């Protein structure tokens, strides 16, 4: 489940560069919306919360870190003024989730779920999402069943299917999702994208390529960075690096998508653009690592394995990522990095996890059977 993942549980560390050559962040170019860091006394709380939510949405869709910062600054003001407001607390949990502070997000959500409230279902759905990302399927199931009422029925069904799909019942779960009447559910564009990505992921892991492509294409059409990344990665591994490149070309401002673009360019032998984009991506990722912030280890591991061809570094990043996230992409990059390093201990850890969860993935099985990392040059 990939609902929007969103003020850190601790204050962010202030970094003072010791030299003008140190890059703290590479920001996308182009126009941006006005983002004041304070709220006005004339604005209602509801309108201020809506403003913060819009910033979180932009951050998720565009992958632009500036908007998380804007949201953080404005939300701190609202939390100071309205610490007991449920809507404000819910947005706090969303921002924590976006910054990969999952434990802190859960603490906020547990407070909201301790008693019935207007945001109870939203809190339960967010908690289920975090649990699915972390591979805590029993907890996710519990939260899925807390989504009560007619309006939440579609979300409860999708939530339960996602747990099924990750625990040995992917075929049954995919059939349940495909049977849902899309036009009758009244889902927003973001919610439809979430649903389509869930279906695409299951179909991909089952080897149902036509079904996976239909859902990936429809999800990516909504224009979110997450969906574009998923579809572009699928195209790449299907042997369609040029189609992957075309999809990624407008997204050079997004660190993770720039890495995928560079990988496709290398595969296609476009050495001039690949070299330029590789240096650009390397500078961004090195700045990210220098700041010591959590998150994005999955994208970093992919970059160092596929673009930099440094499997030892990729494996360390994949190991770190696995302690936090256990979705399909996390499983795959850890497997590939472990195979590239012939890391038997890591492969044993993953085999034990797969046996306990019954997680199905035909592509991983092919990689394991081949006995190598299936690096981009092999396109296996």
């Amino acid at each position: 489940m990939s609902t929007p993942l969103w003020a850190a549980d601790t204050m962010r560390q202030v970094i003072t560069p010791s030299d003008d050559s140190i890059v703290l962040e590479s920001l996308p170019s182009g126009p941006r919306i006005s983002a004041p860091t304070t709220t006005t006394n004339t604005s209602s709380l509801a309108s201020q919360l809506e403003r913060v939510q819009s910033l979180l949405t932009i951050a998720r869709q565009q992958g632009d870190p500036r908007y998380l910062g804007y949201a953080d600054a404005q939300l701190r003001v609202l939390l100071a003024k309205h610490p007991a407001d449920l809507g404000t607390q819910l947005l706090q949990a969303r921002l924590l989730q976006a910054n990969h502070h999952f434990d802190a997000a859960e603490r906020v959500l547990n407070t909201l779920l301790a008693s019935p409230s207007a945001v109870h279902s939203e809190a339960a759905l967010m908690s289920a999402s975090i649990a699915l990302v972390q591979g805590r399927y029993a907890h996710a199931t519990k939260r899925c069943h807390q989504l009560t009422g007619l309006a939440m029925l579609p979300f409860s069904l999708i939530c339960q299917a996602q747990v099924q799909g990750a625990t040995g019942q992917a075929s049954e779960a995919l059939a349940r999702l495909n049977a849902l009447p899309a036009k009758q559910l009244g889902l927003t564009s973001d919610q439809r994208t979430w649903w389509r990505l869930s279906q695409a992921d299951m179909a991909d892991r089952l080897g149902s390529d036509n079904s996976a492509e239909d859902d990936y294409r429809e999800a990516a059409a909504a224009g979110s960075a997450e969906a574009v990344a998923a579809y572009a990665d699928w195209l790449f591994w299907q042997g369609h690096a040029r189609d992957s490149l075309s999809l990624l070309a407008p997204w050079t401002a997004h660190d993770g998508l720039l890495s995928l673009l560079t990988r496709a360019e290398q595969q296609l032998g476009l050495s001039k653009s690949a070299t330029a984009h590789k240096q650009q991506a390397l500078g961004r990722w090195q700045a990210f690592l220098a700041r010591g912030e959590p998150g994005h280890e999955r994208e970093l591991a992919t970059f160092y394995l596929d673009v930099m061809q440094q499997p030892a570094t990729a494996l360390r990043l994949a190991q770190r990522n696995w302690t936090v996230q256990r979705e399909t992409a996390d499983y795959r990059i850890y497997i590939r990095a472990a195979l590239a390093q012939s890391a038997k201990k890591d492969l044993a850890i993953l085999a034990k996890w797969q046996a306990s969860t019954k997680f199905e993935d035909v592509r991983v099985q092919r990689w394991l059977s081949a006995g190598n990392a299936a690096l981009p040059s092999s396109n296996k």
Side-chain angles (χ1 to χ4, degrees), residues 4-65:
L5 306 185
W6 311 108
D9 49 346
T10 59
M11 292 291 289
R12 292 188 181 185
Q13 180 182 1
V14 175
I15 299 175
T16 303
S18 58
D19 187 272
D20 286 345
S21 65
I22 296 175
V23 178
L24 293 180
E25 178 64 271
S26 299
L27 299 175
S29 60
R32 59 183 175 87
I33 65 171
S34 174
T37 57
T38 58
T39 55
T40 64
N41 293 328
T42 58
S43 300
S44 68
L45 176 58
S47 65
Q48 292 174 44
L49 292 176
E50 185 177 348
R51 172 71 170 175
V52 174
Q53 179 60 68
S54 70
L55 293 170
L56 296 179
T57 299
I58 295 170
R60 180 177 53 80
Q61 291 178 340
Q62 299 183 6
D64 188 335

Side-chain angles (χ1 to χ4, degrees), residues 6-311:
W6 311 108
D9 49 346
T10 59
M11 292 291 289
R12 292 188 181 185
Q13 180 182 1
V14 175
I15 299 175
T16 303
S18 58
D19 187 272
D20 286 345
S21 65
I22 296 175
V23 178
L24 293 180
E25 178 64 271
S26 299
L27 299 175
S29 60
R32 59 183 175 87
I33 65 171
S34 174
T37 57
T38 58
T39 55
T40 64
N41 293 328
T42 58
S43 300
S44 68
L45 176 58
S47 65
Q48 292 174 44
L49 292 176
E50 185 177 348
R51 172 71 170 175
V52 174
Q53 179 60 68
S54 70
L55 293 170
L56 296 179
T57 299
I58 295 170
R60 180 177 53 80
Q61 291 178 340
Q62 299 183 6
D64 188 335
R66 291 177 293 185
Y67 292 97
L68 286 180
Y70 304 152
D72 191 359
Q74 295 191 25
L75 190 57
R76 287 176 185 273
V77 175
L78 296 179
L79 284 168
K81 291 182 177 179
H82 312 280
D85 179 74
L86 300 178
T88 305
Q89 292 178 27
L90 187 67
L91 281 183
Q92 180 188 23
R94 288 196 187 283
L95 187 53
L96 286 164
Q97 189 184 22
N99 285 317
H100 292 215
H101 294 280
F102 297 134
D103 291 343
E106 275 290 299
R107 288 195 292 270
V108 176
L109 294 171
N110 286 336
T111 299
L112 294 173
L113 289 165
S115 60
S117 72
V119 298
H120 192 279
S121 292
E122 292 179 77
L125 185 58
M126 199 187 310
S127 179
S129 175
I130 292 172
L132 279 162
V133 167
Q134 295 182 311
R136 296 184 294 121
Y137 301 121
H139 184 75
T141 299
K142 175 184 175 181
R143 294 307 192 207
C144 292
H145 288 295
Q146 290 180 307
L147 301 173
T148 58
L150 186 60
M152 296 303 297
L153 180 59
F155 301 101
S156 179
L157 293 174
I158 295 170
C159 182
Q160 292 175 57
Q162 288 175 323
V163 176
Q164 278 189 302
T167 53
Q169 303 174 69
S171 294
E172 297 89 336
L174 184 58
R176 290 180 65 183
L177 290 176
N178 284 327
L180 291 175
K183 294 182 179 180
Q184 282 71 47
L185 295 181
L187 300 180
T188 66
S189 176
D190 282 351
Q191 291 164 350
R192 286 195 300 272
T193 297
W194 161 62
W195 177 17
R196 290 299 183 189
L197 285 177
S198 298
Q199 293 184 151
D201 176 76
M202 291 182 204
D204 180 15
R205 289 191 286 108
L206 291 169
S208 301
D209 293 338
N210 291 336
S211 178
E213 181 166 22
D214 288 344
D215 284 317
Y216 276 132
R217 183 189 298 112
E218 183 168 338
S224 78
E226 178 188 22
V228 169
Y231 187 27
D233 187 66
W234 184 86
L235 286 168
F236 182 85
W237 289 107
Q238 290 296 115
H240 303 304
R242 192 165 297 279
D243 292 332
S244 180
L245 183 149
S246 297
L247 187 64
L248 292 164
W251 288 87
T252 55
H254 187 288
D255 297 350
L257 298 189
L258 176 62
S259 297
L260 297 184
L261 173 64
T262 306
R263 181 181 68 176
E265 290 172 333
Q266 288 182 333
Q267 173 77 354
L268 293 166
L270 304 175
S271 57
K272 184 176 180 179
S273 58
T275 299
H277 285 145
K278 176 181 176 180
Q279 290 305 312
Q280 188 178 2
L282 180 61
R284 293 187 195 177
W285 287 128
Q286 287 179 336
F288 176 85
L289 289 169
R291 293 195 304 273
E293 295 181 4
H296 301 297
E297 282 83 5
R298 175 206 297 170
E299 292 88 347
L300 274 161
T302 301
F303 175 74
Y304 276 97
L305 181 62
D306 296 341
V307 177
M308 298 300 295
Q309 297 183 4
Q310 296 179 14

